[in-house]
Amino acid sequence: MAVASYLPQTLQERSLDSECGIKGTPSSLVEVIEQRRDDEASYQSLEGRDAEIQVTAYFHIAVFANSTEDKASNEAVKAQFQLLKDTYALYGINLSLGGISREVNDTIAVLSVWTLDETENEILGSTVETEDYWKRTRTGSYETLHIYFYEDLIGTAAFCNFAKPGRPESDYYLDGCHLRINVLLGGSAPYRAYGTTLTHEVGHWFGLFHIFAGGCEGEGDYIDDTPAQTVTSADGTCPLGTKDTCPDLPGTDMVNNYMDYTADPCRDTFTPGQHSRMHNVFWAVRSGK
Ligand SMILES: [Zn+2]
């Protein structure tokens, strides 16, 4: 990770909406996790489920008609994919690139209308034009990852619907990750040029919650090896081992975890518990095994 070349910026310079838009934990996924959590520690040794996960990823880029040709170019998208692939390969997940589509459409290029189910923390829909775009681009099965980049998302930098138990095939078009082009690897968003926003969003796709979920109370992110912490936004620092937002509970804030909001160059780790959880949720929810 090229931390040395990272140039901190002041808080005032950062975008106020440069974080992921997911809040909370979805009840239906929590229910599945609670049912299967007991055998998760030994999960990867369970017969038939320790195999490497194979996932095909498709990228869909929506740009303005007057955007320059090199905006989120295929070359840039392939570099972002390679980073994603190299990262997830460390956790037993083999990603392959299915394809890159490009939509030149001023309306679709701005994801400005989306409704949110605040219990399940999922996007329920958008405009007719955008839903049509999702439907005609969303191919494959529930094991197929679709990643959408837009010129702009209103109110957030990124969002990805969680793996949702029992999602009917007719609603697969709602399954995917949505990000602003400026958080693409090499993009212009403050603290978000290193491509780990996508790593974070795909973590949600595999069923991971924020490590600050629940704050200092309750079950947190439902994973045992991520210490409880509260949410703080990226300020360009990486206070590993020194920041402790739940001082009465064990451990310091895991600011280097992909599922925190820390600045991109700081995030470089999933824990063994998160590794197991991604496999567990994939087989339980996405593969149905
Ligand atoms: Zn998130």
Side-chain angles (χ1 to χ4, degrees):
M1 181 115 338
V3 177
S5 63
Y6 176 60
L7 297 175
Q9 294 175 262
T10 66
L11 260 180
Q12 287 71 30
E13 288 175 310
R14 65 177 288 274
S15 167
L16 292 175
D17 56 356
S18 67
E19 317 292 2
C20 159
I22 284 181
K23 311 295 176 200
T25 52
S27 56
S28 63
L29 182 54
V30 166
E31 192 175 322
V32 169
I33 287 168
E34 287 187 321
Q35 287 167 359
R36 302 170 72 103
R37 197 176 178 186
D38 286 348
D39 57 24
E40 201 165 74
S42 59
Y43 190 78
Q44 286 172 75
S45 64
L46 295 178
E47 187 178 357
R49 290 178 179 163
D50 59 349
E52 188 175 69
I53 291 172
Q54 308 286 338
V55 169
T56 303
Y58 290 84
F59 286 77
H60 308 287
I61 313 300
V63 293
F64 295 138
N66 64 358
S67 280
T68 56
E69 280 188 14
D70 65 349
K71 186 150 197 177
S73 66
N74 281 2
E75 187 179 42
V77 172
K78 285 176 182 173
Q80 170 73 82
F81 169 74
Q82 192 61 46
L83 173 66
L84 189 73
K85 179 181 175 66
D86 291 347
T87 301
Y88 276 88
L90 300 174
Y91 305 96
I93 295 171
N94 181 28
L95 298 171
S96 57
L97 181 59
I100 304 170
S101 80
R102 190 165 294 270
E103 182 84 2
V104 181
N105 183 315
D106 288 355
T107 302
I108 289 173
V110 180
L111 185 55
S112 58
V113 177
W114 38 287
T115 52
L116 187 69
D117 180 325
E118 293 187 346
T119 302
E120 289 296 301
N121 284 279
E122 67 164 330
I123 290 180
L124 293 174
S126 182
T127 62
V128 171
E129 291 88 345
T130 296
E131 288 190 11
D132 174 67
Y133 172 53
W134 294 343
K135 286 173 182 173
R136 62 188 156 83
T137 48
R138 179 57 170 90
T139 56
S141 71
Y142 204 35
E143 300 178 26
T144 311
L145 172 61
H146 284 265
I147 298 162
Y148 294 82
F149 277 92
Y150 306 82
E151 296 268 4
D152 201 3
L153 270 75
I154 302 301
T156 187
F159 199 104
C160 191
N161 277 347
F162 288 104
K164 182 180 182 180
R167 186 186 287 286
E169 193 169 344
S170 58
D171 284 354
Y172 282 0
Y173 71 96
L174 295 171
D175 179 57
C177 299
H178 307 274
L179 301 93
R180 197 186 291 149
I181 284 173
N182 70 356
V183 301
L184 190 67
L185 175 63
S188 60
Y191 311 130
R192 301 289 177 222
Y194 287 72
T196 59
T197 299
L198 182 58
T199 309
H200 174 112
E201 294 307 320
V202 172
H204 289 313
W205 191 83
F206 278 109
L208 296 183
F209 304 140
H210 291 136
I211 57 165
F212 50 79
C216 303
E217 308 290 332
E219 288 281 3
D221 64 354
Y222 294 83
I223 291 177
D224 293 334
D225 60 3
T226 53
Q229 67 172 74
T230 61
V231 60
T232 48
S233 294
D235 64 0
T237 64
C238 192
L240 186 60
T242 59
K243 186 169 168 231
D244 192 1
T245 54
C246 296
D248 295 335
L249 296 173
T252 55
D253 291 16
M254 197 173 278
V255 296
N256 61 332
N257 195 284
Y258 286 120
M259 300 316 289
D260 198 1
Y261 273 175
T262 328
D264 270 17
C266 188
R267 297 187 289 187
D268 62 4
T269 301
F270 288 122
T271 65
Q274 288 173 317
H275 178 163
S276 297
R277 175 64 48 78
M278 289 194 282
H279 283 246
N280 196 350
V281 168
F282 182 84
W283 297 119
V285 178
R286 293 207 171 273
S287 180
K289 292 177 183 170

